[in-house]
Every structure is written in structure tokens, then in C-alpha cells.
Amino acid sequence: MTKFSELNLDPNVLKAVAEAGYEAPTPIQEGAIPPALEGKDVLGIAQTGTGKTASFTLPMLTRLATGRARARMPRSLVLAPTRELAAQVAENFDLYAKHTKLTKALLIGGVSFGEQDKLIDRGVDVLIATPGRLLDHFERGKLLLTGVQIMVVDEADRMLDMGFIPDIERIFQLTPFTRQTLFFSATMAPEIERITNTFLHAPVRVEVARQATTSETITQKLVEIVPPRKDQTAKAKRELLRALIQAEGEACTNAIIFCNRKSDVDIVAKSLKSHGFDAAPIHGDLEQSQRTKTLDAFRDGKLQLLIASDVAARGLDIPAVSHVFNYDLPSHAEDYVHRIGRTGRAGRLGTAYSIATPSDDKYLAAIEHLVKITIPRVEVPEGFTLSEATLREPKKYDEKEGGRSSSSSSRSGSRTRSRTRSRDRDESLAAPVVEPVLAEAVVETPVVEAPKREERRDERREERRDDRRERDRSRPRDRDTGPVVVGMGDHVPDFLLRPFRPSKPATVTEEVEETSEG
DNA sequence: AAAAAAT
């Protein structure tokens, strides 16, 4: 087996690695460090938890060991998508650079410019930044990127998701053509491929097998509930979450609870706290100081439950999380893998619970397709008092539907139709794989409904366009024109229509048509 | 329908 000591790293760097307790490099490190040390571009395809950060940190420090920084001209640059991730990279630099004289600055938003400016002025070897703040410094003329010898892009696919690619391209163009580029991404989306083709020169491609999502170290479980009413979903989910945490008891030493929305992060955190749990929220709308404080407390074991948006889904290295709870199933299947990957790290055992409601069926299918397993369904825990109402029981819905559908079928017309649509949606939500007798009625509708819904939307759009045309010709006579005209009847005073219609309607109509087609 | 990041 290769050892770090065989990798030609700077002795001072090697010393820090040894002190940190590392002997043998991970596959990504073994693959990326040698070419990086030779000054070659590296394209690393690897996910977090594979030792990616050290795979660029160690060779960078080694190559920067000779020479020193000039004022406002950093010698290297690391870009990360989130502030926490950038801060984490910075911590890694501190760790491995402690026996060198290399300096670094962390440029992230949410903190004042003053300290960052001071460091840049003095000259730093390594600049670690989120794209926005870096460009901000650059535009203020405080920063020159022409001295960058090594540039690292970390978590490029996440940058893509977050719309950072234009910024990244711009930053690439601000650095010298001769720079060395180390580029990391978990996946190679077409857009990522394009960037690497443009900005990397004959890169050495290092690909590390995707982390097994069915990793034996993570036990995945899914709890499905059907809240009796839609407006009770959140309440039911919060209660179920509490029951799940309680059922796990002492096994749950600490956990990250993921919500899809920032507002839900706050609500769930508040709710858990009021029920006596040791919980705190983290998401992008919170003050940076608060984010740092919360994350530090969680890392130090002073906080048991971290309620998080996807700001914490990727990259963050939080050791020893016993549980992950998906309060919401993520709408991007990839995120499921990232989220549950927060537990079961470094050979430790972990448990990942996901809460699903019927409206998650689509997401769930995508997730299970991606991870290539059927996530084991488990019963709701005993402490879940709403269980009777919220178990996956289609009956209530079907009874209701049966009653309503007969009354609605006696009617017709566009207004009733819109109500029918929302009813059908509920119906399809409540359609589980059980109850064959009722399934007849349930299955039929969504299957037919799905394509129809699209058609109808198009129809309506066309209708609306027609309406406009009609009105422009001042012949508002169609009853289907929508609630506004129906409500006014045929008695709409002419002046009310005038502001929407310039003096020569025919011409305008033509113009509208032309522009809309062009 | 939403999260992240520059203010």
C-alpha cells in the first residue's frame, strides 16, 4: 500500500499529515497528488467523504512551499460553493500548513471586509473563497488575480446547481493562462464537461468510484404517512419526527434533520425546542455568525439536533452523526444521497429516516431509482398518536371522493372542471397500492388525467390568447373568458376596457402577434 | 416549490 511518505510531499506538510494521524492516502489522494505535484491539471471526479480536500491541499502546500506572496497577489485560489465549505477548506489548510510559513485568507460573505482586506494587502499564499465575495473584492480593486499559480474549483457540480458557473468562468479568465488547475466535481454534467474542456489543459482524470449509496454502514428507513387533511401535513410530520427521535432513544446521539424550505427549518427547530429537544436551525438566511456558532456547537457535541436546509447537505464534514432524518424528501434525488451521506461516515454506523407523504411519490420513485434499492418501509413508532389518522389509509379519501364525484359529474363547464382537477389530484395522492376494489375508480382517473392536465393547460392558454384578441376587437362575448368578464356580465362599461386597448386595436393586435412569434 | 451566494 502506498504511504504519504512515498508521495514526495514537502517534509513540513508530511509532518502535519502524520500528526493528524494519517498514514495511507485515500484513492482520490493517491490518484490526484502525484500529477498535481508535477504541475499537471487534474480533473477529480469524486464525492465528499473521499478525502478530496487533502488531495488538493497537500500538493498545493508543497508546491507553494518555495517562494512567497506579494501584496494583493495571492499565489493560489480555492473556490467553494458555500461559506461553510470554504471555511472547512480553510481549516484543512491550517491543519496541514501548521509547520510551514504559508499564509491564507478566507473570503466569504456575511462577514466584514476589513479583516479580509488587511490580509490580502499583506499578501497571502492561499486564498479560499466563495465566488461572490471574491468578485466583490476584485471589483473594489483590492485584489489582483494575475499572480495565481494554482486554482482549485471544489464541488463544481454544486456550483452549477447554484448558478455560479458564469462567475467561475469569469474568475478563470482573470487568472493567468499558465496557471495549474485542479478541478473537482461529483458528476460530469454536460455543462461541467464544457468548462473543463475550456479551462483545463490536458488534465489527468482521476475518478473515484461513487460512494456506495447502499453502503452497509447506513441503515435506510422510510415512513409513509397520509395526513387526513392537507393542512395537517406539517403538524403530522413534526409529530412523527418527534416520535421517531424518541423511539431511537439513546441510539440517536446526534442527528441532522433536513427540510426542503428554510421556513420549515425554522418551524421544525422551534417546534422541537418547545418540546424539550436540544435543537437549532441552520440555513442561508441566518446570520453568518449564527451559522458558524450553531455548526461549531454541533460539531463539538454541544448540540444534539441540527435542523438544516440543503446548505448542510453536501461537503460539510461533521464526524459521528448517528442519524439523519429527512423531514422532507428532497426533490432532487442526488440530494438524498448527499444528505444520508452525512451519517455512516468513516466506517461508523448510521441510520437515515425519511418521512414521505403521498405528494412525495414522484420524488421517492426518482430516489429509489437512483440508489437502486427500495428503501425499507417501517411502521410508525408507538409514540405517534396521530397514527390512526395518518397511516396510509385510502378509505377516507375514497368515501369522500365517491360522494363528491357524483355531485360534480352532474355538472359541467369550466368552473366545475377546475374544481374537479384539484379533487383528482387529492385522489391520486391517496391512491396507494392497496384496496383493489376501490382502486378501479382511483387508478382510472390519474392515468387519464395526467396527459389531459397538460392539454387543458394549453387549451386554457390558447383560450386566453383568443380572449385577448376578442377583447381587442371589442367583441367581448365569449362566456368562457374567465371570472372577470363573467362577473361583469355584458355590462362592462366601455371605459373600463379602454386602458388595456390603445386607439387602434387592429394594429396593436398585429404587433402583438408578430412579437410573440418572433 | 426551493436552496445557495454579494449587498
Side-chain angles (χ1 to χ4, degrees):
Chain A
M1 209 208 304
T2 316
K3 290 187 172 175
F4 277 114
S5 52
E6 300 163 39
L7 287 179
N8 287 322
L9 292 167
D10 180 274
N12 288 319
V13 175
L14 207 51
K15 195 177 163 194
V17 171
E19 283 172 10
Y22 297 116
E23 251 183 48
T26 65
I28 184 79
Q29 291 162 355
E30 194 175 345
I33 291 175
L37 284 173
E38 288 172 38
K40 289 178 182 156
D41 281 3
V42 172
L43 172 56
I45 302 160
Q47 302 196 311
T48 26
T50 53
K52 193 164 43 100
T53 311
S55 77
F56 60 80
T57 309
L58 303 181
M60 276 178 83
L61 292 173
T62 298
R63 281 173 58 75
L64 294 169
T66 54
R68 51 183 268 257
R70 290 160 61 192
R72 293 184 203 177
M73 288 182 67
R75 302 165 68 206
S76 66
L77 177 60
V78 181
L79 294 170
T82 67
R83 296 171 186 173
E84 276 78 9
L85 223 43
Q88 193 174 288
V89 172
E91 276 170 32
N92 263 267
F93 264 94
D94 287 340
L95 177 65
Y96 298 124
K98 68 177 177 185
H99 298 302
T100 72
K101 285 182 178 163
L102 297 170
T103 57
K104 65 129 219 290
L106 175 63
L107 304 190
I108 57 173
V111 290
S112 70
F113 282 91
E115 196 62 23
Q116 297 178 357
D117 279 340
K118 223 185 281 174
L119 289 168
I120 297 170
D121 279 346
R122 217 180 290 158
V124 290
D125 298 290
V126 184
L127 204 57
I128 300 151
T130 45
R133 183 51 78 95
L134 181 88
L135 286 171
D136 206 346
H137 276 281
F138 180 81
E139 276 155 16
R140 290 159 74 246
K142 297 279 182 184
L143 182 62
L144 287 168
L145 294 175
T146 48
V148 171
Q149 298 158 30
I150 308 170
M151 174 162 157
V152 178
V153 179
D154 198 8
E155 303 259 338
D157 52 347
R158 181 124 196 248
M159 301 251 196
L160 176 69
D161 289 347
M162 291 167 64
F164 278 154
I165 293 301
D167 287 348
I168 298 298
E169 285 187 76
R170 191 164 159 228
I171 295 166
F172 263 123
Q173 280 153 357
L174 296 172
T175 61
F177 180 74
T178 52
R179 63 155 200 272
Q180 177 186 11
T181 309
L182 311 175
F183 192 100
F184 294 87
S185 185
T187 59
M188 286 303 286
E191 183 71 356
I192 300 288
E193 190 96 46
R194 185 183 67 76
I195 300 285
T196 58
N197 289 339
T198 311
F199 296 105
L200 270 64
H201 307 297
V204 174
R205 196 180 162 114
V206 182
E207 190 161 356
V208 166
R210 174 187 209 86
Q211 242 175 339
T213 53
T214 48
S215 160
E216 284 85 46
T217 59
I218 304 175
T219 308
Q220 300 176 59
K221 293 174 184 177
L222 186 86
V223 187
E224 289 181 300
I225 56 167
V226 178
R229 273 170 39 197
K230 261 209 153 170
D231 59 358
Q232 286 174 0
T233 305
K235 196 176 175 233
K237 281 167 90 171
R238 288 197 300 271
E239 183 162 351
L240 174 58
L241 176 65
R242 291 198 298 275
L244 287 172
I245 297 169
Q246 263 155 0
E248 286 298 296
E250 302 215 331
C252 181
T253 55
N254 58 354
I256 307 180
I257 297 155
F258 285 104
C259 305
N260 289 353
R261 292 173 206 76
K262 288 182 279 198
S263 55
D264 285 335
V265 169
D266 286 330
I267 292 167
V268 171
K270 214 174 146 191
S271 155
L272 284 170
K273 262 191 275 184
S274 74
H275 282 86
F277 290 89
D278 180 22
I282 188 167
H283 60 69
D285 279 356
L286 297 171
E287 290 276 332
Q288 186 56 39
S289 57
Q290 186 66 46
R291 282 164 66 170
T292 310
K293 220 175 87 187
T294 301
L295 196 57
D296 285 347
F298 190 66
R299 280 201 179 115
D300 295 346
K302 289 171 191 154
L303 172 70
Q304 193 205 357
L305 304 174
L306 182 70
I307 328 303
S309 68
D310 277 322
V311 69
R314 303 197 196 184
L316 290 193
D317 189 39
I318 301 159
V321 176
S322 73
H323 285 65
V324 165
F325 293 92
N326 283 315
Y327 172 86
D328 294 311
L329 274 184
S331 50
H332 291 301
E334 279 285 330
D335 285 332
Y336 177 81
V337 179
H338 289 292
R339 286 180 180 185
I340 71 165
R342 301 297 96 201
T343 186
R345 309 195 82 186
R348 289 191 186 86
L349 294 178
T351 306
Y353 272 103
S354 297
I355 298 175
T357 62
S359 54
D360 294 320
D361 283 356
K362 226 182 22 241
Y363 302 146
L364 182 57
I367 289 165
E368 293 190 321
H369 180 77
L370 179 73
V371 301
K372 295 188 178 67
I373 60 158
T374 302
I375 305 171
R377 269 63 170 170
V378 295
E379 300 281 310
V380 293
E382 279 182 20
F384 189 54
T385 51
L386 281 179
S387 58
E388 221 181 311
T390 54
L391 273 171
R392 258 208 150 174
E393 271 178 355
K395 238 180 168 176
K396 289 185 176 155
Y397 287 82
D398 290 330
E399 277 164 11
K400 231 191 284 169
E401 292 324 314
R404 249 203 262 160
S405 71
S406 62
S407 70
S408 73
S409 66
S410 63
R411 282 204 224 150
S412 61
S414 59
R415 289 196 150 211
T416 319
R417 208 181 291 156
S418 82
R419 220 186 294 153
T420 311
R421 211 170 3 249
S422 62
R423 179 186 61 85
D424 286 346
R425 187 151 33 88
D426 289 341
E427 200 170 81
S428 70
L429 293 184
V433 211
V434 281
E435 298 279 351
V437 182
L438 296 159
E440 204 183 325
V442 177
V443 169
E444 183 196 357
T445 332
V447 167
V448 180
E449 186 62 21
K452 247 191 198 169
R453 221 178 278 166
E454 286 301 309
E455 272 171 37
R456 276 182 197 157
R457 210 179 294 150
D458 290 347
E459 267 170 36
R460 261 184 295 152
R461 222 179 290 144
E462 267 166 36
E463 269 171 23
R464 239 180 276 141
R465 230 182 292 146
D466 288 343
D467 294 346
R468 230 186 296 137
R469 236 175 284 156
E470 297 282 54
R471 232 183 300 156
D472 286 344
R473 287 187 207 134
S474 52
R475 273 193 284 145
R477 37 118 240 220
D478 197 329
R479 288 224 141 228
D480 279 279
T481 41
V484 177
V485 177
V486 169
M488 295 259 199
D490 291 327
H491 305 293
V492 182
D494 218 41
F495 72 85
L496 268 186
L497 293 170
R498 222 172 274 152
F500 304 104
R501 174 185 52 130
S503 51
K504 294 201 171 168
T507 325
V508 170
T509 309
E510 271 168 35
E511 273 171 21
V512 166
E513 289 304 307
E514 275 165 26
T515 48
S516 72
E517 274 161 29

